[in-house]
Amino acid sequence: MFFALLTIILFTVFHDSVHAEIKVEPLTMVITTKAGRTNPFEIKITSTEEEPTELEVSRVHLYQEITGKVTINESGSDTKLLKGPLSWIQFEKEYYTVSSKEPTIIYGSIKVPHRTSGTKLLGIFVSTIRPPKATGIFLRFRYVVNIRLEISGKKSRTSGEFKDILISKENDNLVLSGMFTNLSPDQLQLESTAQIRASDDKLLELILLKTERGWEKEEQSSMIYPETQVKLSGYFKKIPLEGKYNLRFIHRLGQKRLVTRKEVTLRKEDLPLVLETLKKENS
């Protein structure tokens, strides 16, 4: 007996529609709302496929990694995830047939409970479904629609914490890093600077600290999701000598300013080998 082999190749799309036959709009929504309000939304699907395409819509949990990058969490069950803000999302229906004749509209709504405020991050999967009689290779595309809810209400207290400060070697560079936690229920735009001061408090250097994503995107500030921890880092431009230093970290969270201080002692083994070369060249 012959058994047809089906291979599913999965592509998850966060930003741009890469599957030429299917287009999903929008892939990002920002909804400003209030507690107790129901917010309708629409997702438009267009297709250039000759044959009808089957689609499924579902909820997905978005979270921010310590790198600052936003990704999806599929480790938990739907029941587990739906206990939070994802349970606010309702779809008119969850399965659709898309054709090239006319656009298909996915209708849904988000009902915000009472006594809720702050920033909430929600995700919706729009996935192509394997045709019942498909054989061979099936390219399954999942489009992630990102929704950011900005819920007005009682103003929350903006607060954060910076800890696990570390100076480490990276090849011939010296890296300053630490873990920043957004303790508030709102999304923050964070600008962080480290002042490197001598033991007599003389300013020696300023180091800009950003997330890995912030450096990659060349952004001035780093976006931190609510109640999320990210790693901030920056490079020394001048390699310090052995000795004691005072580190002063200034974090700007909108209108708020958070200052963290730490005293460190750098030893010979803490510094890159390039320092030895510089010493020999200057001697």
Side-chain angles (χ1 to χ4, degrees):
M1 184 181 291
F2 173 76
F3 291 90
L5 176 65
L6 175 71
T7 302
I8 297 179
I9 300 178
L10 185 64
F11 293 89
T12 301
V13 182
F14 281 91
H15 302 290
D16 299 309
S17 181
V18 298
H19 185 31
E21 292 79 14
I22 299 291
K23 188 174 183 180
V24 177
E25 298 176 293
L27 287 176
T28 301
M29 298 184 200
V30 179
I31 300 175
T32 302
T33 185
K34 295 180 179 179
R37 179 178 290 178
T38 298
N39 307 272
F41 65 84
E42 297 179 7
I43 301 172
K44 181 181 177 182
I45 314 293
T46 53
S47 172
T48 57
E49 285 271 17
E50 292 183 5
E51 296 295 324
T53 301
E54 301 298 318
L55 295 178
E56 177 185 14
V57 291
S58 59
R59 306 162 186 86
V60 64
H61 180 62
L62 301 178
Y63 76 100
Q64 189 173 30
E65 299 177 334
I66 64 169
T67 61
K69 297 177 181 178
V70 178
T71 187
I72 56 178
N73 179 14
E74 298 182 89
S75 59
S77 66
D78 283 347
T79 304
K80 201 178 208 177
L81 294 175
L82 287 178
K83 290 181 180 178
L86 283 181
S87 64
W88 306 350
I89 301 175
Q90 298 297 323
F91 300 114
E92 185 179 82
K93 59 180 184 177
E94 297 183 349
Y95 296 94
Y96 293 83
T97 301
V98 181
S99 71
S100 58
K101 293 180 180 179
E102 59 181 353
T104 296
I105 306 298
I106 296 172
Y107 294 99
S109 63
I110 302 171
K111 186 174 182 179
V112 181
H114 293 283
R115 299 181 181 178
T116 304
S117 63
T119 304
K120 306 298 178 185
L121 305 164
L122 313 173
I124 294 174
F125 264 155
V126 179
S127 312
T128 55
I129 303 174
R130 177 182 64 86
K133 297 181 180 180
T135 60
I137 296 176
F138 171 65
L139 300 181
R140 182 185 180 194
F141 285 84
R142 302 188 303 182
Y143 299 83
V144 181
V145 178
N146 299 272
I147 301 176
R148 189 173 88 228
L149 281 181
E150 297 290 354
I151 308 168
S152 61
K154 184 179 178 182
K155 191 169 181 62
S156 58
R157 181 172 175 267
T158 300
S159 61
E161 180 182 52
F162 191 61
K163 60 181 184 179
D164 298 334
I165 299 164
L166 180 67
I167 296 177
S168 57
K169 292 184 286 188
E170 187 177 297
N171 299 322
D172 288 337
N173 297 305
L174 205 58
V175 182
L176 177 61
S177 64
M179 303 300 293
F180 186 91
T181 305
N182 178 6
L183 299 174
S184 69
D186 297 316
Q187 177 178 296
L188 298 177
Q189 285 297 132
L190 173 68
E191 293 185 27
S192 295
T193 305
Q195 298 179 356
I196 313 302
R197 295 180 176 270
S199 55
D200 62 359
D201 213 35
K202 178 183 177 181
L203 180 63
L204 302 175
E205 185 176 358
L206 290 174
I207 299 176
L208 183 63
L209 302 175
K210 294 192 285 188
T211 61
E212 181 181 313
R213 181 187 183 279
W215 286 114
E216 287 177 356
K217 299 293 183 181
E218 299 182 352
E219 297 168 336
Q220 182 63 28
S221 60
S222 297
M223 180 190 68
I224 316 296
Y225 278 11
E227 300 169 350
T228 297
Q229 185 178 74
V230 295
K231 182 179 181 180
L232 302 178
S233 64
Y235 288 95
F236 282 80
K237 294 178 182 176
K238 305 171 186 176
I239 300 178
L241 300 174
E242 301 162 52
K244 289 186 177 181
Y245 295 90
N246 294 318
L247 308 182
R248 188 176 302 167
F249 301 91
I250 301 173
H251 310 282
R252 290 180 174 82
L253 316 167
Q255 300 299 317
K256 185 169 178 134
R257 190 168 175 261
L258 173 69
V259 178
T260 307
R261 293 178 173 84
K262 184 178 178 66
E263 183 180 286
V264 298
T265 300
L266 291 180
R267 301 165 299 177
K268 178 180 178 181
E269 55 266 32
D270 297 324
L271 301 173
L273 292 176
V274 70
L275 181 62
E276 292 300 312
T277 304
L278 290 173
K279 282 182 177 179
K280 290 176 182 177
E281 289 177 352
N282 293 329
S283 61

